[in-house]
Amino acid sequence: MGDNRNFLIAILLSVVIFVGWQHFVISPRMEAEKARQDAIAEQTAKAAGQTTRPGTAPVASNGSSGATILPTIGNGAATVPTSVTRDAALATSPRVTISSDQLDGSIALKGARFDDLRLRAYRETVDKTSPEIALFSPAHTAQPYFTELGFIAAPGSNVKLPTADTTWTLEQGDKLTPTTPVTLAWNNGEGLVFHRTISMDDNFLFSIVDRVENKSASAVTLYPYGLISRVGEPASQAFYILHEGFIGEFKENGEEAIKYATAIKDSTVKSITDTEGWLGITDKYWAAALIPQAGQKFVARFGATPGATADPQQEHFQADFRHEAMTIAPGADLTVKNQLFAGAKVSKVINSYRDQGIYRFNLLIDWGYFWFLTQPVFKGIDLIAKFTGNFGIAILIMTVLIKLAFFPLANRSYESMSKMKKLQPRMEELRERHKDDKMAQQQAIMALYKEEKVNPIAGCLPVVIQIPVFFSLYKVLFVTIEMRHAPFFGWIHDLSAPDPTTIFNLFGLLPYDPTSVPMIGHFLALGVWPLIMGFTMFVQQRMNPAPADPVQQQIFMWMPIVFTFMLASFPAGLVIYWAWNNSLGALQQGVIMRRQGVPIEIFSNLGFKKSPASGGKS
């Protein structure tokens, strides 16, 4: 009874944790995401602006002495509430248009900032008329997000340098496209002339070449820098298998990955010195990353500060780097080239940048610990999707191929479980015969295993070997942008979103939305595919040997129901995968059971024992 009590307590605690997580974490975040989508659809931007964003420009860049590093994040900037729309914020500076098949937006000549960037191929919703994804947004909007590059003066120097308030002139070109770069210029009036040539490729990579002419009579020492500044966390469900936050890969220091919540909690600046690598901020599908000039020593930093209130939309995140000192002799010039990635995390594109020489840039996508399995699995799904024209069909085919690869191992596991199930009646007899002597009961059962040549753990090893591969498939379906807004069939128009139907309004026949019910609405989003998944899980469970303990039998009988509700909020693609995987497993196990003469009992004896006193009726 003690074991049963502990088991029941463990199950109860698990249910409490699950319900609490759904109510206090998942539901609020889903509501926040819905509110954000509504706000975007209405094209409104409510304010959380600042007159001066912390860390947006070097402290010493205006000629003040004594500072040679980027300012500490959150350095003394006053917060002034504003209410500025995106269009109004964009109008505060003259701009250079950005236009390509993948991107549109503009560069602010004031500060030479990348602060207006939209992804043309991606929309906020599956509706083709919904707004494009806005990656970068200017200061004083609801969630500023931008990139800035510049120079810092040497200690004690009073050289005049461009700042966030400096307005550059357009020296060459009038629109930035993949075939037409632009050049910006600024003269400090004291002998230094700055030229910035910006080019872009066909996808999401910008090249920024800064050339500084020293026409003065003395040498000048400068520290080139770059930063990515963001205010507010993205709305997401924060699943443990997904990394969102700071990200970087460095040749001598390895990977650096800090989640948003961890960065805010620590509130410290992480510094890394290296000569090659990249740094930035990543979300599930989008990212911005700076790639400092390779071979030139730089110091990379990651840091975050809380907002004036507890609102996570006021939290400030900054990833930046500073090159080592560069001295320009009189009459000479200095050239430094940095790069900026800003766009969607499309695997083919990301891999092409790695092939072009950006150090381990393919790891911008969170492939997980089993990346050596996850990447080949994705390539297989992507290849199949190109032939079938449907990402959902590709998921089903890839699952079949993986099942075929593990067919011998799975057969061994299912054979072992079938033998165990076949022995269930005899094991029950032994338990009843020795119910008052646990030692004798265990000895009798082990003797039965030996007599029938059954190893009770023989079915476990094949399953353990398969786990990394199927987890890799699960990871692929969760993190890859290719599944976003990809349709399946029928009512599934987005494999990356939960099944939109629910049984609690008869799948749309009743004119109300059960998910809007306070407190319990998120439990009522129980669609068709979660129900199918729950049923397949139930079938597969019923084909396995039942636990010896009656209480555990009852609990395991309820597990498919618990998992049905738990997975209802997961992306439909994942739920379809689990349902299909369960179905294939049940089919394979059923064939093996028939070969071995084991009866397949799905709906009979659902864990309820018959009472002799009741005349055989349950």
Side-chain angles (χ1 to χ4, degrees), residues 41 50 57 97 128 140 191 251 268 288 297 307 326 338 361 390 393 439 517 558-559 582 585 597:
Q50 292 180 314
T97 300
K128 299 300 183 183
H140 306 298
K251 191 169 186 178
T268 57
K297 184 180 288 188
M326 300 181 183
N338 300 302
F361 202 67
N390 188 293
I393 293 296
M439 181 65 71
V517 177
W558 284 96
M559 284 185 65
N582 291 344

Side-chain angles (χ1 to χ4, degrees), residues 216-258:
S216 69
S218 58
V220 176
T221 298
L222 302 176
Y223 296 80
Y225 78 89
L227 64 83
I228 299 173
S229 178
R230 180 177 200 170
V231 174
E233 292 185 38
S236 68
Q237 295 187 13
F239 286 96
Y240 74 98
I241 66 168
L242 174 68
H243 174 75
E244 291 183 303
F246 292 125
I247 183 73
E249 287 286 341
F250 305 96
K251 191 169 186 178
E252 297 177 10
N253 293 275
E255 183 179 80
E256 191 67 39
I258 309 170

Side-chain angles (χ1 to χ4, degrees), residues 258-589:
I258 309 170
K259 287 182 176 289
Y260 287 112
T262 303
I264 287 294
K265 180 180 178 181
D266 294 346
S267 292
T268 57
V269 176
K270 173 79 173 182
S271 297
I272 298 167
T273 301
D274 217 302
T275 57
E276 186 174 357
W278 52 269
L279 64 151
I281 298 176
T282 182
D283 296 339
K284 182 175 182 177
Y285 297 127
W286 335 109
L290 285 165
I291 304 99
Q293 180 172 300
Q296 184 75 32
K297 184 180 288 188
F298 62 87
V299 178
R301 306 191 316 165
F302 303 96
T305 54
T309 68
D311 184 2
Q313 300 310 311
Q314 293 187 13
E315 295 167 350
H316 178 224
F317 304 91
Q318 182 170 303
D320 57 48
F321 75 88
R322 173 183 60 82
H323 280 299
E324 65 180 357
M326 300 181 183
T327 300
I328 316 172
D333 59 31
L334 162 72
T335 300
V336 59
K337 178 183 178 180
N338 300 302
Q339 292 175 294
L340 166 67
F341 171 88
K345 292 164 31 175
V346 180
S347 178
K348 182 179 179 181
V349 174
I350 298 296
N351 289 340
S352 73
Y353 294 144
R354 175 204 57 191
D355 297 340
Q356 292 174 27
I358 301 179
Y359 178 73
R360 299 184 73 181
F361 202 67
N362 58 307
L363 298 185
L364 180 62
I365 299 175
D366 180 18
W367 296 113
Y369 293 112
F370 298 112
W371 57 268
F372 52 90
L373 295 174
T374 310
Q375 294 188 50
V377 167
F378 168 75
K379 289 179 180 178
I381 293 177
D382 194 45
L383 181 63
I384 296 170
K386 290 177 181 177
F387 285 100
T388 63
N390 188 293
F391 202 79
I393 293 296
I395 292 171
L396 304 185
I397 294 175
M398 176 56 72
T399 307
V400 171
L401 294 177
I402 293 176
K403 280 284 188 183
L404 290 174
F406 284 104
F407 188 81
L409 284 174
N411 261 11
R412 187 175 302 174
S413 176
Y414 291 142
E415 285 174 2
S416 177
M417 287 189 287
S418 296
K419 290 178 181 178
M420 291 285 292
K421 190 172 182 68
K422 191 174 183 178
L423 293 178
Q424 285 290 117
R426 296 175 64 183
M427 291 170 65
E428 287 294 331
E429 290 178 7
L430 292 175
R431 290 190 181 98
E432 185 64 27
R433 185 184 307 167
H434 302 287
K435 61 183 177 181
D436 297 325
D437 189 345
K438 294 293 183 182
M439 181 65 71
Q441 182 185 112
Q442 290 298 322
Q443 290 175 349
I445 291 175
M446 293 305 295
L448 177 63
Y449 288 156
K450 187 175 181 180
E451 176 189 342
E452 297 294 333
K453 298 180 181 181
V454 173
N455 185 348
I457 63 172
C460 299
L461 182 59
V463 174
V464 171
I465 294 174
Q466 296 176 65
I467 287 175
V469 176
F470 282 98
F471 180 80
S472 298
L473 178 56
Y474 175 84
K475 180 84 172 182
V476 165
L477 302 184
F478 195 86
V479 305
T480 53
I481 194 172
E482 285 75 7
M483 196 169 78
R484 182 181 187 268
H485 292 179
F488 187 51
F489 292 108
W491 64 95
I492 302 296
H493 303 296
D494 182 2
L495 286 168
S496 68
D499 188 324
T501 61
T502 172
I503 193 174
F504 295 103
N505 67 359
L506 300 181
F507 308 110
L509 293 178
L510 301 180
Y512 79 99
D513 180 10
T515 61
S516 62
V517 177
M519 302 293 290
I520 63 171
H522 52 284
F523 289 110
L524 304 181
L526 195 59
V528 175
W529 275 108
L531 290 171
I532 295 174
M533 187 282 304
F535 177 74
T536 59
M537 184 178 180
F538 165 78
V539 169
Q540 193 170 35
Q541 180 181 291
R542 293 289 298 161
M543 298 174 75
N544 293 331
D549 183 73
V551 176
Q552 293 185 22
Q553 290 181 24
Q554 294 289 335
I555 292 173
F556 274 92
M557 186 182 70
W558 284 96
M559 284 185 65
I561 298 175
V562 174
F563 273 85
T564 298
F565 279 92
M566 184 173 70
L567 296 182
S569 62
F570 275 47
L574 290 173
V575 179
I576 292 170
Y577 154 68
W578 279 116
W580 179 238
N581 186 57
N582 291 344
S583 300
L584 293 176
L587 177 63
Q588 185 177 0
Q589 190 170 357

Side-chain angles (χ1 to χ4, degrees), residues 113-230:
R113 280 182 178 171
F114 293 82
D115 65 354
D116 174 31
L117 206 58
R118 299 179 300 279
L119 310 183
R120 299 185 65 176
Y122 301 94
R123 302 279 174 172
E124 289 288 345
T125 70
V126 292
D127 184 356
K128 299 300 183 183
T129 63
S130 64
E132 297 172 349
I133 290 292
L135 182 63
F136 283 168
S137 297
H140 306 298
T141 54
Q143 290 185 307
Y145 190 8
F146 54 81
T147 295
E148 177 182 307
L149 298 100
F151 297 89
I152 306 169
S157 172
N158 61 357
V159 62
K160 186 177 179 182
L161 298 176
T163 71
D165 295 322
T166 298
T167 299
W168 294 61
T169 59
L170 187 57
E171 186 176 53
Q172 184 176 350
D174 57 3
K175 177 188 288 189
L176 178 59
T177 73
T179 58
T180 58
V182 297
T183 300
L184 313 182
W186 184 73
N187 190 326
N188 78 342
E190 299 174 356
L192 289 185
V193 182
F194 297 81
H195 305 272
R196 174 168 295 173
T197 300
I198 305 171
S199 58
M200 66 184 298
D201 69 358
D202 292 326
N203 293 298
F204 309 114
L205 190 66
F206 296 88
S207 295
I208 302 99
V209 178
D210 280 309
R211 185 170 65 90
V212 184
E213 296 179 273
N214 184 6
K215 298 181 179 180
S216 69
S218 58
V220 176
T221 298
L222 302 176
Y223 296 80
Y225 78 89
L227 64 83
I228 299 173
S229 178
R230 180 177 200 170

